[in-house]
Amino acid sequence: MTGLGAVFRPQLAPERLRAVAQAADDAGLEELWLWEDCFREGGVSSAAAALAWTERVRIGVGLLPVPLRNVALTAMEAATRHRMFPGRPILALGHGVQDWMGQVGARAESPVTLLREHLHALRALLHGRRVTTEGRYVRLDDVGLDWPPDREVRVLAGATGPRSLRLAGEAADGTVLTASTPPDGVRQARRLIDEGRAAAGRTEPHEVVVYLLAATGPGAGERLRADLAAEGVGSVPDLGVAGDAAAVAEAVRRLAGAGADTVVLQPTGDEPDPEGFVRFAAEQVRPLVA
Protein backbone atom coordinates (compact mmCIF):
# COMPACT_ATOMS: atom_id res chain seq x y z
CA MET A 1 0.00 0.00 0.00
CA THR A 2 1.24 3.47 -0.86
CA GLY A 3 2.28 5.44 2.20
CA LEU A 4 0.81 8.90 2.68
CA GLY A 5 2.07 11.88 4.65
CA ALA A 6 2.00 15.66 4.81
CA VAL A 7 4.52 18.45 5.38
CA PHE A 8 4.62 21.02 8.15
CA ARG A 9 6.23 23.81 6.17
CA PRO A 10 8.79 26.03 7.94
CA GLN A 11 7.06 29.16 6.69
CA LEU A 12 4.90 28.51 9.78
CA ALA A 13 6.24 29.71 13.12
CA PRO A 14 7.66 26.95 15.35
CA GLU A 15 4.91 27.42 17.91
CA ARG A 16 2.38 26.23 15.31
CA LEU A 17 3.94 22.77 15.15
CA ARG A 18 2.27 21.32 18.24
CA ALA A 19 -1.27 21.86 16.98
CA VAL A 20 -0.48 20.53 13.50
CA ALA A 21 1.35 17.46 14.82
CA GLN A 22 -1.47 16.63 17.21
CA ALA A 23 -4.06 17.12 14.46
CA ALA A 24 -2.11 14.69 12.27
CA ASP A 25 -1.88 12.19 15.12
CA ASP A 26 -5.56 12.43 16.01
CA ALA A 27 -6.64 12.10 12.38
CA GLY A 28 -4.58 8.96 11.83
CA LEU A 29 -2.10 10.41 9.33
CA GLU A 30 0.82 8.03 8.82
CA GLU A 31 3.66 10.52 8.48
CA LEU A 32 4.33 14.20 9.19
CA TRP A 33 7.46 15.62 7.58
CA LEU A 34 9.47 18.65 8.71
CA TRP A 35 12.06 20.65 6.79
CA GLU A 36 15.32 22.12 8.04
CA ASP A 37 15.40 25.05 5.64
CA CYS A 38 17.95 27.74 6.44
CA PHE A 39 17.32 29.79 8.46
CA ARG A 40 14.08 28.58 9.93
CA GLU A 41 13.26 25.78 12.39
CA GLY A 42 15.93 23.33 13.50
CA GLY A 43 15.09 19.84 12.28
CA VAL A 44 16.33 17.84 15.27
CA SER A 45 14.62 19.96 17.93
CA SER A 46 11.38 20.19 15.94
CA ALA A 47 11.27 16.44 15.34
CA ALA A 48 11.94 15.63 18.99
CA ALA A 49 9.17 17.97 20.12
CA ALA A 50 6.68 16.60 17.57
CA LEU A 51 7.46 13.04 18.65
CA ALA A 52 6.95 13.94 22.30
CA TRP A 53 3.61 15.65 21.59
CA THR A 54 2.18 12.68 19.66
CA GLU A 55 1.58 8.96 20.11
CA ARG A 56 1.61 7.22 16.76
CA VAL A 57 2.37 9.43 13.72
CA ARG A 58 5.82 8.94 12.26
CA ILE A 59 7.91 12.12 12.11
CA GLY A 60 10.34 12.65 9.25
CA VAL A 61 12.93 15.36 8.73
CA GLY A 62 13.47 15.81 5.04
CA LEU A 63 16.20 16.70 5.21
CA LEU A 64 19.18 17.43 7.45
CA PRO A 65 22.03 19.10 5.48
CA VAL A 66 25.22 17.22 6.29
CA PRO A 67 27.65 20.16 5.86
CA LEU A 68 26.20 21.60 9.08
CA ARG A 69 26.93 18.49 11.19
CA ASN A 70 29.72 16.22 12.28
CA VAL A 71 28.62 12.68 11.48
CA ALA A 72 29.12 11.57 15.08
CA LEU A 73 26.63 14.21 16.21
CA THR A 74 24.16 13.12 13.52
CA ALA A 75 24.45 9.55 14.80
CA MET A 76 24.05 10.55 18.44
CA GLU A 77 20.93 12.60 17.73
CA ALA A 78 19.39 9.93 15.51
CA ALA A 79 20.10 7.11 17.96
CA THR A 80 18.61 9.09 20.85
CA ARG A 81 15.36 9.78 18.98
CA HIS A 82 15.05 6.18 17.83
CA ARG A 83 15.57 4.81 21.33
CA MET A 84 13.10 7.27 22.86
CA PHE A 85 10.44 6.83 20.15
CA PRO A 86 11.04 3.39 18.59
CA GLY A 87 9.87 3.01 15.01
CA ARG A 88 8.55 6.54 14.65
CA PRO A 89 11.42 8.84 13.55
CA ILE A 90 12.37 9.00 9.87
CA LEU A 91 15.89 10.21 9.07
CA ALA A 92 16.79 11.82 5.76
CA LEU A 93 20.04 13.60 4.86
CA GLY A 94 21.24 15.70 1.97
CA HIS A 95 24.15 17.83 0.86
CA GLY A 96 22.11 20.99 1.41
CA VAL A 97 21.35 24.01 -0.75
CA GLN A 98 24.78 25.21 -1.77
CA ASP A 99 23.99 28.93 -1.55
CA TRP A 100 22.83 28.44 2.04
CA MET A 101 25.87 26.34 2.87
CA GLY A 102 28.04 29.14 1.48
CA GLN A 103 26.30 31.70 3.69
CA VAL A 104 27.38 29.81 6.83
CA GLY A 105 30.88 28.94 5.64
CA ALA A 106 30.11 25.23 5.23
CA ARG A 107 30.05 24.84 1.46
CA ALA A 108 31.96 21.73 0.37
CA GLU A 109 34.00 21.63 -2.82
CA SER A 110 32.48 18.22 -3.55
CA PRO A 111 29.01 17.96 -1.95
CA VAL A 112 28.43 14.46 -3.32
CA THR A 113 31.70 13.19 -1.83
CA LEU A 114 30.76 14.68 1.53
CA LEU A 115 27.31 13.07 1.43
CA ARG A 116 28.77 9.69 0.45
CA GLU A 117 31.27 9.72 3.30
CA HIS A 118 28.65 10.90 5.78
CA LEU A 119 26.13 8.23 4.74
CA HIS A 120 28.61 5.35 4.94
CA ALA A 121 29.91 6.41 8.35
CA LEU A 122 26.46 7.18 9.74
CA ARG A 123 24.95 3.86 8.75
CA ALA A 124 27.90 2.02 10.29
CA LEU A 125 27.57 3.96 13.56
CA LEU A 126 23.82 3.36 13.73
CA HIS A 127 24.44 -0.36 13.21
CA GLY A 128 26.53 -0.33 16.38
CA ARG A 129 29.95 -0.55 14.76
CA ARG A 130 33.11 1.25 15.79
CA VAL A 131 34.33 3.38 12.93
CA THR A 132 37.75 4.60 11.94
CA THR A 133 37.91 6.44 8.65
CA GLU A 134 40.08 9.11 7.04
CA GLY A 135 38.04 10.54 4.20
CA ARG A 136 38.20 13.82 2.38
CA TYR A 137 35.62 15.30 4.77
CA VAL A 138 34.67 12.66 7.33
CA ARG A 139 37.39 11.66 9.78
CA LEU A 140 36.70 9.37 12.74
CA ASP A 141 39.14 7.66 15.07
CA ASP A 142 37.65 4.58 16.76
CA VAL A 143 34.21 6.16 17.24
CA GLY A 144 31.24 4.12 18.42
CA LEU A 145 27.92 4.94 20.06
CA ASP A 146 27.39 3.97 23.69
CA TRP A 147 23.65 3.88 23.01
CA PRO A 148 23.13 2.72 19.43
CA PRO A 149 19.55 2.11 18.30
CA ASP A 150 18.12 -1.20 19.46
CA ARG A 151 16.47 -1.80 16.09
CA GLU A 152 17.44 -1.14 12.48
CA VAL A 153 17.42 2.51 11.44
CA ARG A 154 16.87 3.24 7.77
CA VAL A 155 18.75 6.30 6.48
CA LEU A 156 17.26 8.14 3.49
CA ALA A 157 19.00 10.62 1.22
CA GLY A 158 17.56 13.58 -0.62
CA ALA A 159 18.61 13.55 -4.25
CA THR A 160 17.89 15.34 -7.53
CA GLY A 161 20.71 14.98 -10.07
CA PRO A 162 22.00 11.73 -11.60
CA ARG A 163 25.11 11.54 -9.40
CA SER A 164 23.21 12.04 -6.17
CA LEU A 165 20.47 9.60 -7.21
CA ARG A 166 23.04 6.87 -7.94
CA LEU A 167 24.69 7.69 -4.62
CA ALA A 168 21.37 7.30 -2.82
CA GLY A 169 21.03 3.83 -4.31
CA GLU A 170 24.59 2.97 -3.30
CA ALA A 171 24.80 4.38 0.21
CA ALA A 172 21.28 5.08 1.55
CA ASP A 173 18.27 2.95 2.41
CA GLY A 174 15.80 5.20 0.62
CA THR A 175 15.52 8.38 -1.42
CA VAL A 176 13.51 11.58 -0.98
CA LEU A 177 12.48 13.40 -4.17
CA THR A 178 11.29 17.01 -4.27
CA ALA A 179 7.88 18.25 -5.38
CA SER A 180 9.52 19.28 -8.66
CA THR A 181 9.53 15.59 -9.68
CA PRO A 182 6.70 14.58 -12.06
CA PRO A 183 5.78 10.91 -12.59
CA ASP A 184 8.26 10.55 -15.48
CA GLY A 185 10.93 12.01 -13.19
CA VAL A 186 10.13 9.37 -10.58
CA ARG A 187 10.61 6.64 -13.17
CA GLN A 188 13.96 8.08 -14.22
CA ALA A 189 15.01 8.46 -10.58
CA ARG A 190 14.18 4.81 -9.92
CA ARG A 191 16.40 3.76 -12.82
CA LEU A 192 19.33 5.81 -11.56
CA ILE A 193 18.84 4.62 -7.97
CA ASP A 194 18.82 1.03 -9.19
CA GLU A 195 22.07 1.64 -11.07
CA GLY A 196 23.67 2.75 -7.81
CA ARG A 197 22.22 -0.22 -5.94
CA ALA A 198 23.49 -2.66 -8.55
CA ALA A 199 26.98 -1.16 -8.50
CA ALA A 200 27.09 -1.53 -4.71
CA GLY A 201 25.60 -5.03 -4.74
CA ARG A 202 22.59 -3.97 -2.69
CA THR A 203 19.44 -6.07 -2.93
CA GLU A 204 17.33 -4.99 0.06
CA PRO A 205 14.22 -2.81 -0.49
CA HIS A 206 14.83 0.86 -1.22
CA GLU A 207 12.01 3.25 -0.34
CA VAL A 208 11.27 6.22 -2.61
CA VAL A 209 9.48 9.16 -0.98
CA VAL A 210 8.09 11.89 -3.23
CA TYR A 211 6.68 15.25 -2.21
CA LEU A 212 3.51 16.33 -4.03
CA LEU A 213 2.57 20.01 -3.98
CA ALA A 214 -1.16 20.03 -3.22
CA ALA A 215 -3.84 22.63 -2.62
CA THR A 216 -7.50 22.28 -1.76
CA GLY A 217 -10.32 24.58 -0.84
CA PRO A 218 -10.99 28.16 -1.96
CA GLY A 219 -8.35 29.60 -4.30
CA ALA A 220 -6.53 26.24 -4.55
CA GLY A 221 -5.64 26.61 -8.23
CA GLU A 222 -4.26 30.11 -7.83
CA ARG A 223 -2.19 29.15 -4.78
CA LEU A 224 -0.77 26.12 -6.56
CA ARG A 225 0.20 28.10 -9.66
CA ALA A 226 1.85 30.80 -7.53
CA ASP A 227 3.97 28.23 -5.67
CA LEU A 228 5.04 26.49 -8.87
CA ALA A 229 5.95 29.82 -10.46
CA ALA A 230 7.94 30.85 -7.38
CA GLU A 231 9.98 27.64 -7.72
CA GLY A 232 10.58 28.29 -11.42
CA VAL A 233 8.72 25.16 -12.52
CA GLY A 234 5.42 26.68 -13.56
CA SER A 235 5.79 25.38 -17.13
CA VAL A 236 6.67 21.78 -16.15
CA PRO A 237 3.73 19.45 -16.88
CA ASP A 238 2.24 17.06 -14.30
CA LEU A 239 3.53 18.92 -11.25
CA GLY A 240 1.25 19.49 -8.30
CA VAL A 241 -2.47 19.12 -7.90
CA ALA A 242 -5.33 21.42 -6.93
CA GLY A 243 -8.81 20.20 -6.12
CA ASP A 244 -10.80 17.90 -3.91
CA ALA A 245 -9.76 14.62 -2.31
CA ALA A 246 -10.48 12.63 -5.48
CA ALA A 247 -8.18 14.84 -7.55
CA VAL A 248 -5.39 14.68 -4.97
CA ALA A 249 -5.75 10.90 -4.61
CA GLU A 250 -5.48 10.47 -8.38
CA ALA A 251 -2.24 12.48 -8.41
CA VAL A 252 -0.91 10.30 -5.57
CA ARG A 253 -1.78 7.17 -7.55
CA ARG A 254 0.08 8.48 -10.60
CA LEU A 255 3.24 8.95 -8.55
CA ALA A 256 2.81 5.54 -6.96
CA GLY A 257 2.41 3.98 -10.39
CA ALA A 258 5.69 5.61 -11.43
CA GLY A 259 7.57 4.07 -8.49
CA ALA A 260 6.87 6.12 -5.36
CA ASP A 261 6.45 4.08 -2.20
CA THR A 262 5.33 7.06 -0.11
CA VAL A 263 3.79 10.32 -1.27
CA VAL A 264 3.97 13.30 1.08
CA LEU A 265 1.47 16.08 0.42
CA GLN A 266 3.20 19.46 0.50
CA PRO A 267 0.82 22.37 1.14
CA THR A 268 1.42 25.69 -0.52
CA GLY A 269 3.48 28.19 1.42
CA ASP A 270 0.36 30.24 2.13
CA GLU A 271 -1.90 27.32 3.13
CA PRO A 272 -4.59 29.02 5.27
CA ASP A 273 -5.42 26.01 7.46
CA PRO A 274 -2.43 23.74 8.19
CA GLU A 275 -4.36 21.68 10.77
CA GLY A 276 -7.20 21.24 8.31
CA PHE A 277 -4.73 20.22 5.60
CA VAL A 278 -3.34 17.28 7.59
CA ARG A 279 -6.87 16.20 8.50
CA PHE A 280 -7.84 16.43 4.82
CA ALA A 281 -4.89 14.18 3.91
CA ALA A 282 -5.73 11.59 6.56
CA GLU A 283 -9.51 11.56 6.49
CA GLN A 284 -10.37 12.32 2.86
CA VAL A 285 -7.38 11.44 0.66
CA ARG A 286 -6.12 8.34 2.51
CA PRO A 287 -9.32 6.28 1.99
CA LEU A 288 -9.08 6.91 -1.76
CA VAL A 289 -5.46 5.79 -2.10
CA ALA A 290 -4.98 2.04 -2.39
Side-chain angles (χ1 to χ4, degrees), residues 20-190:
V20 175
Q22 290 178 337
D25 205 44
D26 293 343
L29 188 66
E30 295 148 55
E31 299 180 2
L32 181 68
W33 283 72
L34 315 175
W35 293 352
E36 191 172 73
D37 279 1
C38 295
F39 299 94
R40 294 171 173 148
E41 289 98 331
V44 172
S45 54
S46 296
L51 288 161
W53 288 327
T54 56
E55 297 293 333
R56 51 158 304 281
V57 65
R58 300 180 71 207
I59 303 294
V61 182
L63 42 77
L64 298 175
V66 298
L68 297 182
R69 289 176 177 81
N70 182 282
V71 68
L73 180 60
T74 307
M76 291 160 58
E77 296 283 11
T80 299
R81 289 196 306 278
H82 279 272
R83 290 187 70 105
M84 288 181 169
F85 308 100
R88 293 179 56 212
I90 307 170
L91 176 62
L93 308 175
H95 52 55
V97 176
Q98 296 310 294
D99 286 347
W100 289 341
M101 298 303 100
Q103 281 183 269
V104 298
R107 186 167 186 162
E109 185 177 347
S110 178
V112 173
T113 299
L114 169 57
L115 182 57
R116 173 180 285 107
E117 293 179 359
H118 200 105
L119 286 168
H120 282 300
L122 177 63
R123 292 181 68 247
L125 289 167
L126 292 176
H127 280 87
R129 303 180 198 136
R130 300 199 70 82
V131 179
T132 297
T133 184
E134 185 71 23
R136 181 173 176 181
Y137 298 103
V138 175
R139 300 176 180 88
L140 300 175
D141 181 10
D142 192 31
V143 174
L145 297 175
D146 282 9
W147 295 102
D150 52 9
R151 63 174 68 188
E152 181 183 6
V153 174
R154 295 177 60 79
V155 179
L156 282 63
T160 52
R163 290 182 64 207
S164 58
L165 286 163
R166 292 189 184 97
L167 170 60
E170 167 205 327
D173 303 304
T175 302
V176 179
L177 304 176
T178 73
S180 297
T181 313
D184 283 346
V186 176
R187 294 185 184 93
Q188 176 64 13
R190 271 284 187 190

Side-chain angles (χ1 to χ4, degrees), residues 218-233:
E222 291 80 1
R223 289 189 285 114
L224 178 74
R225 287 190 290 273
D227 257 35
L228 291 172
E231 293 296 320
V233 292

